[in-house]
Amino acid sequence: MHIEYDRDTCIGMFQCVAEWDAFEKDEDAGKAVLADSEERDEDLFVREVPEDAEFDAKFAARACPVEAIAVYDDDGEQLIP
């Protein structure tokens, strides 16, 4: 499972930060940061989700009010949103 985070879409509500500790606040930018991620395209960050964090990653994606976070299974199927 992996997660994709579109930092450009993020509006800085930080609900993801409350749901999964892989997301951190960047107060200066007013955006969340996905720790240990790789920038695939401009402002699109990707990270593998450890098995023990799958539940939290899904909740972080569901909590985002602007759907800046997407979760994909190992086959590349989009699970959330």
Side-chain angles (χ1 to χ4, degrees):
M1 175 179 289
H2 75 274
I3 195 164
E4 293 184 0
Y5 165 58
D6 184 344
R7 186 175 164 93
D8 185 53
T9 300
C10 177
I11 60 171
M13 297 298 294
F14 301 121
Q15 279 107 329
C16 58
V17 174
E19 298 299 337
W20 187 28
D21 61 6
F23 283 99
E24 302 167 354
K25 288 183 181 182
D26 180 348
E27 298 282 353
D28 294 332
K31 307 263 184 179
V33 174
L34 180 57
D36 300 323
S37 63
E38 171 185 312
E39 190 170 10
R40 181 177 291 160
D41 290 319
E42 186 175 346
D43 282 334
L44 181 66
F45 294 85
V46 179
R47 173 189 165 145
E48 289 298 314
V49 178
E51 277 188 38
D52 64 344
E54 289 180 358
F55 185 77
D56 293 340
K58 289 177 182 177
F59 261 88
R62 286 187 183 106
C64 181
V66 293
E67 297 183 349
I69 304 166
V71 177
Y72 295 85
D73 68 15
D74 291 333
D75 296 325
E77 284 282 318
Q78 187 170 341
L79 303 174
I80 300 165

